[in-house]
Amino acid sequence: MTMLHLSTFSRRLLQGLGVGLLAFFLLGPLANLVLWSVAERWYTPFKLPVTYGTKYWEVVFRPTGDAMTSLTTSVGIALAVVVVTLIVSVPAGYALARLRLPFRAAIMLLFLLPQAFPSVAIYINVARIFYWIGLNGTVIGVVLVHSVHALVYSVWIAAAAFSSIDQDLEWAARNIGASPLKTFVSVTLPLAAPGLVAASIFVFLESLDEFTGTFFVGVPQVTTLPLLLYNASMGGNYQVASITALILLVPSIGFMLIIERFLKGDVLSKIGR
Amino acid sequence: MSIAFEQLTVAFNHKAVIEDLSLVIPQGCFFTLLGPSGCGKTTLLRTIAGFTPAEKGRLLFGNKDVIALPAHQRDIGMVFQDYALFPDRSVFDNVAYGLIARGWSRERLRPAVLAMLDHVSLTGLHDRFPAALSGGQRQRVALARALVIKPQLLLMDEPLSNLDTKLRIQMRSSICKLQKEAGITTIFVTHDQEEALALSDLIGVMNNGKIEQIGSPQDIYQTPRTAFVANFVGGANLMPLPELSSPIGQGYAQVQSPLGPLKAFSYHQLEAHHACLMIRPEDINLSLDTGLQANHLPCRIMGKHYLGSKTHYDIILPDGTEMVVHLSGQAHEQFGIDQSLFACFEVESALLVRA
């Protein structure tokens, strides 16, 4: 009895330690960010900030400040990227799911290509081409670069979402008098919507966090939040960098919770097939 | 509305699944396509519905060839094997879908939908979603959705195969009743011979993309034309015959079997080769002597399976042919394995069919 008691106790202890370590690795850096964001003065011999205050929060959230401008740019670009990828991935995903396309696997892999090569090499070349055709330093250029990067998620998830819908449902609608378009809009699309929403959220977050492409194609005219973060931390302004990082965290966490509810197992199991 | 196929051919990957099919189904008829899986019956149904294109041929609804019409303009109601109810719509909205597609207003369709739900005994369930319904209820929603648009033709693709036995028999009679009330021409697809016999006005037995025989349930069971039909509907003992000297006409015939001459009967004209003798398991009697029946063959009992109301015997003939015999009553109770007996049957039970 005592032995059993002891072993459960030590198991609890080990579990506690494990969870503690995990929390430290996950939350430790976050805690550091939070601390930096409210540190008005913090220099070397001190383990904790010397003066606390919300001065830098005010700087960042000042309507005329760089941070608010980049936030607007970032969100605007991300929304545009969502629209562009939906325009491509809804028809492409439906075709990949329903039609017996030749070279289907090859087409699926094609969307993976932009992720497969070293991104810096690709973006340098993209920047050169965009420079020729005058897209460098424009929002449209950045949107295009982000879209190509995000297409693999949106097309693969859309194809999975469509193929998890029983085709008999579409036939049933056609059978009782709905045209192909009406069937798609009233039966297929609503059933695929959760998958498409999840794909869009992935795309939105991907665009919001994207750095390399924006760096090569957008700078200096287009400054998104990750670029601002980069500039701030390179310039030694850890407070602004930390606050920017925290702002970037908010949509990520919020959307992840939503995705978890939207993406069901039957869709997940068909991704990439 | 009567339905007719004229030389219909349907192909998958350049391979004909259905070839040169011609058939007429009269107005109001409950027609069953009966056949094993893979025989082309579901493909044929999907071609009628407009989901699978036909290679060539005509499909006549009344006098109108609809083969070129897209599915949604054919005015057909179909019940799918897995029901295919819209999971994100309530029972009411599922049934209303076809009427909305036809441009009915909400006020106009409401009484029609509710009346149809009453008709299929789903009163009060209109707010439910398909996930909250039992198998039998889903089945009836699917039926209501197909019937509410008052289609010219009702198609059913193995609609009872997902229900348990008791419910299946119950649904069988309600489908029969609904079909007769609506007077709607119906094509029903199944692999279950009992279902086909119980429901149909006409049965078409399909094998390898061809219809082997069309007839009333009695015709199909009592006067099968081919060995396949005899075996698939009801089960049969088949004895291949050596080539006959001349074609066989309708009526009584003396045939030469490997075990000597037998007296047989033929309902159909048969060519000299390809003939086969068919005897139903329940038409054979086992007895200790040659008995009074027209035919008797020596046999030995290989197996005995007691099933309550009847007993199944596996017997073997001297040439190695195995047969199944179903006996009821108690007279044969003393028969045992390895016992040598006579298998006796009447002329009318020994039918000649195409091999």
Side-chain angles (χ1 to χ4, degrees), chain A residues 213-238:
Chain A
T214 324
F215 185 76
F216 283 102
V217 172
V219 163
Q221 290 90 336
V222 183
T223 312
T224 57
L225 272 186
L227 280 172
L228 183 81
L229 192 149
Y230 173 78
N231 288 339
S233 53
M234 285 296 111
N237 193 341
Y238 295 122

Side-chain angles (χ1 to χ4, degrees), chain A residues 13-206:
Chain A
L13 194 72
L14 275 174
Q15 274 176 357
L17 270 174
V19 171
L21 268 173
L22 195 69
F24 180 74
F25 281 118
L26 286 177
L27 299 177
L30 278 181
N32 190 44
L33 277 183
V34 174
L35 216 51
W36 260 114
S37 75
V38 290
E40 282 189 6
R41 287 191 313 139
W42 187 359
Y43 33 85
T44 17
F46 297 97
K47 296 278 184 293
L48 285 172
V50 185
T51 336
Y52 292 93
T54 54
K55 189 177 100 194
Y56 287 97
W57 283 93
E58 281 155 31
V59 169
V60 167
F61 281 98
R62 197 181 298 148
T64 52
D66 286 348
M68 287 322 279
T69 323
S70 349
L71 181 65
T72 325
T73 314
S74 269
V75 171
I77 288 174
L79 288 175
V81 171
V82 166
V83 171
V84 170
T85 51
L86 275 181
I87 288 171
V88 176
S89 62
V90 167
Y94 189 74
L96 285 167
R98 281 287 185 262
L99 309 179
R100 290 200 197 117
L101 295 175
F103 316 116
R104 188 176 173 280
I107 296 171
M108 296 286 275
L109 279 179
L110 192 71
F111 289 107
L112 191 63
L113 273 186
Q115 308 263 16
F117 290 102
S119 51
V120 174
I122 291 180
Y123 290 133
I124 286 174
N125 282 293
V126 168
R128 212 174 52 153
I129 296 166
F130 276 12
Y131 193 71
W132 280 341
I133 55 179
L135 278 176
N136 233 27
T138 64
V139 169
I140 294 175
V142 174
V143 167
L144 285 177
V145 163
H146 286 193
S147 299
V148 169
H149 188 71
L151 267 182
V152 64
Y153 302 106
S154 62
V155 170
W156 283 32
I157 298 176
F162 283 121
S163 56
S164 71
I165 299 169
D166 184 0
Q167 194 166 15
D168 274 356
L169 295 176
E170 294 173 318
W171 288 131
R174 294 292 312 280
N175 173 250
I176 50 179
S179 66
L181 184 68
K182 186 172 163 53
T183 301
F184 183 75
V185 173
S186 68
V187 174
T188 317
L189 213 49
L191 290 173
L196 296 177
V197 167
S200 300
I201 290 174
F202 268 124
V203 167
F204 185 86
L205 293 178
E206 190 64 22

Side-chain angles (χ1 to χ4, degrees), chain B residues 139-272:
Chain B
Q139 170 73 79
R140 279 181 296 201
V141 176
L143 203 57
R145 186 178 65 179
L147 286 175
V148 76
I149 57 172
K150 301 216 182 323
Q152 305 252 40
L153 173 65
L154 179 65
L155 302 179
M156 290 195 253
D157 186 7
E158 309 228 7
L160 303 177
S161 60
N162 287 336
L163 303 177
D164 61 52
T165 317
K166 207 175 141 199
L167 201 55
R168 201 180 308 162
I169 292 169
Q170 219 176 336
M171 276 310 290
R172 221 192 255 168
S173 49
S174 59
I175 286 178
C176 212
K177 190 166 138 271
L178 285 165
Q179 190 266 341
K180 287 283 166 285
E181 280 169 8
I184 181 173
T185 313
T186 300
I187 302 179
F188 184 93
V189 159
T190 184
H191 64 263
D192 183 335
Q193 42 126 348
E194 199 182 293
E195 218 165 271
L197 294 173
L199 282 167
S200 320
D201 297 321
L202 270 181
I203 298 176
V205 184
M206 266 190 102
N207 187 28
N208 285 329
K210 291 201 166 61
I211 293 194
E212 296 234 343
Q213 186 174 358
I214 295 176
S216 68
Q218 288 79 5
D219 286 344
I220 297 284
Y221 184 76
Q222 290 165 7
T223 66
R225 189 187 291 274
T226 68
F228 174 83
V229 173
N231 201 20
F232 194 76
V233 184
N237 294 301
L238 296 166
M239 187 192 277
L241 296 175
E243 192 163 321
L244 306 172
S245 53
S246 58
I248 296 174
Q250 267 185 334
Y252 295 96
Q254 179 92 13
V255 293
Q256 202 58 42
S257 84
L259 296 168
L262 287 174
K263 298 184 190 74
F265 189 85
S266 179
Y267 285 101
H268 309 282
Q269 304 276 341
L270 282 174
E271 288 163 40

